[in-house]
Amino acid sequence: MGILNAFKVRMNTLAIVLIPVCIAIDWAGHAVASTLKLPLFLDSIGTVLGGLLAGPWVGGIAGLITNFISSGTVDPIAAPYSIISLAIGIAAGIGGYYGWHKTWPGRIALYVLIVLVASIGSTPLNINLYAGQSGVPLGDAVYASLVKSGWPTWLAAYIDEATGDIPDKLITVVVATLIYFGLPNRYRALFSVWRRQSGEPEPAPASSV
């Protein structure tokens, strides 16, 4: 079965309750970034945390709903990017399933995967909706310079998006991982149901850093 085991719906009550908590973390981070006009999004910390703790469905659902809530409150253009947040949650859930967040090479792999998901997924949306711009001032300046120099629009748009995603997702993965390991072992172990197949024994408490 391999990776398909990560996508089995094995949510317990605690995992369902975690979803609004992750949404609140995502929304608060994005509200801070928008209010302070930071060159960051900060809208995926809860999404990644949900994926690491409780699997791709919890992380993905939290990210998806957050964007619709943000669209009606702090960021009117967030709704079209809901699919990207869903994909980020799924990516984090895959990383959580394999325990990438528990080792340094795994954390780097998780970070790279999330950056690629966010930047590759967002680029076509940016091109179709906003002429290739991401809304991050530095990235948009790079985009304008590259297009003026004759670079293909799609490549300039990708570099624009990646310019914002590289630092943003670094903060996202670091903070989500710190929160994860800041939780008590017994609490983390309560979410391990999504990692087990039917008939398997209860897992040991999650290891610490």
Side-chain angles (χ1 to χ4, degrees):
M1 295 292 290
I3 196 173
L4 295 179
N5 284 328
F7 292 93
K8 287 186 177 180
V9 180
R10 300 180 182 135
M11 285 197 280
N12 56 17
T13 301
L14 195 58
I16 295 172
V17 171
L18 179 65
I19 292 174
V21 175
C22 294
I23 292 171
I25 294 173
D26 283 345
W27 185 88
H30 196 39
V32 168
S34 297
T35 301
L36 299 181
K37 300 188 183 305
L38 301 177
L40 301 165
F41 307 111
L42 301 182
D43 60 350
S44 299
I45 295 172
T47 297
V48 173
L49 177 63
L52 295 180
L53 271 174
W57 296 116
V58 170
I61 291 170
L64 183 74
I65 295 175
T66 296
N67 277 63
F68 287 111
I69 294 175
S70 295
S71 181
T73 53
V74 297
D75 185 359
I77 66 171
Y81 295 88
S82 57
I83 189 65
I84 309 303
S85 294
L86 172 65
I88 289 172
I90 290 173
I94 293 172
Y97 180 76
Y98 286 109
W100 290 356
H101 54 299
K102 296 180 181 179
T103 67
W104 282 107
R107 291 163 189 159
I108 294 171
L110 178 65
Y111 166 61
V112 171
L113 176 61
I114 291 176
V115 167
L116 290 175
V117 167
S119 57
I120 293 174
S122 297
T123 297
L125 292 174
N126 292 345
I127 291 173
N128 286 300
L129 297 175
Y130 306 109
Q133 296 186 328
S134 66
V136 176
L138 176 59
D140 288 347
V142 171
Y143 171 83
S145 177
L146 292 176
V147 170
K148 187 176 181 180
S149 299
W151 285 52
T153 299
W154 66 268
L155 183 56
Y158 176 77
I159 294 173
D160 179 351
E161 178 64 31
T163 299
D165 281 324
I166 288 172
D168 179 74
K169 300 307 181 283
L170 177 61
I171 294 172
T172 295
V173 172
V174 168
V175 173
T177 303
L178 288 174
I179 295 173
Y180 178 94
F181 284 110
L183 298 172
N185 286 354
R186 289 182 177 274
Y187 182 77
R188 280 183 266 149
L190 294 174
F191 293 98
S192 296
V193 63
W194 70 277
R195 297 188 182 93
R196 299 200 312 278
Q197 296 185 34
S198 178
E200 291 182 350
E202 288 284 335
S207 60
S208 56
V209 177

